Amino acid sequence: MIATALAVCSALALAQQTATDLDGRRVNPLTADSGKVVVLVFLRRDCPVSSRYAPVIQQISKQYADSASFWLVYPDKSETPQAIRKYLQDYGYGLPALRDPEHVLVKLGRAQITPEVAVFDRGHQLVYDGRIDDWYVDLSRARPAPTTHELEDAIRAALAGKPVAKSEVRGVGCYISDLE
């Protein structure tokens, strides 16, 4: 009886973890591709750091396409589907995009900055939230190349069923909390 109640609560919680796709449909990225690791990538069109990461995000998503589902998440309430589509086209993205104006996925993934990521294992448990890598030292200064690769490390650990060495490393970019 208790196990059944917990299963129902768990199913209801998963059902509430939705955002809106660019056609206005509710989507739960955690259940859209069963059996895969899920990566939510939080972006803002007006954040230069988010834009600079477009090639990196695309390369990593291609590398892990068979075993991980990638979703671009736009938390800005004022972003229109048309503006997001143009951004996706301008930066060559082929990944699915979601609008998260209620910050359901932001809260679920514990995102604070764009660009940041949230990695969920196959059981839909958050195993990592934070930066993609350490390319940016601060908003105005980037390294020639990153020296750490937290997103890739988290994906590999989730795929292997192992804990992530660092489960949270905050990023450098534009704050999500200031969005209206």
Side-chain angles (χ1 to χ4, degrees):
M1 183 74 120
I2 292 174
T4 304
L6 288 174
V8 169
C9 286
S10 179
L12 285 173
L14 270 178
Q16 294 172 351
Q17 297 166 352
T18 64
T20 308
D21 71 11
L22 300 183
D23 294 322
R25 292 183 298 262
R26 300 300 287 176
V27 176
N28 181 338
L30 298 183
T31 59
D33 239 349
S34 66
K36 286 189 172 186
V37 167
V38 175
V39 180
L40 303 180
V41 182
F42 297 90
L43 301 172
R44 284 178 57 174
R45 284 184 330 108
D46 64 347
C47 182
V49 179
S50 288
S51 299
R52 296 258 334 257
Y53 267 99
V56 174
I57 293 164
Q58 292 172 44
Q59 184 272 323
I60 295 170
S61 67
K62 285 179 185 161
Q63 181 179 346
Y64 293 98
D66 293 338
S67 52
S69 293
F70 283 74
W71 297 82
L72 305 178
V73 180
Y74 293 84
D76 188 340
K77 295 173 184 171
S78 67
E79 292 286 4
T80 65
Q82 296 78 14
I84 294 170
R85 281 187 181 100
K86 181 173 179 351
Y87 183 84
L88 297 174
Q89 181 179 8
D90 289 350
Y91 287 91
Y93 275 115
L95 298 172
L98 299 171
R99 293 181 64 246
D100 188 29
E102 293 92 25
H103 294 178
V104 172
L105 299 179
V106 167
K107 292 172 189 159
L108 181 69
R110 299 183 189 158
Q112 298 175 18
I113 303 281
T114 63
E116 280 190 338
V117 296
V119 178
F120 296 85
D121 65 15
R122 291 180 176 114
H124 308 219
Q125 298 301 307
L126 179 65
V127 297
Y128 174 76
D129 60 279
R131 69 187 183 190
I132 295 165
D133 57 33
D134 70 346
W135 186 18
Y136 273 82
V137 176
D138 59 42
L139 273 175
S140 61
R141 202 170 46 143
R143 292 178 170 84
T147 62
T148 65
H149 302 277
E150 286 85 1
L151 173 56
E152 290 183 82
D153 293 345
I155 293 169
R156 283 193 295 273
L159 290 172
K162 296 183 178 180
V164 178
K166 292 181 183 178
S167 62
E168 178 183 315
V169 181
R170 292 286 51 102
V172 171
C174 306
Y175 284 99
I176 292 173
S177 61
D178 65 347
L179 301 177
E180 292 301 321

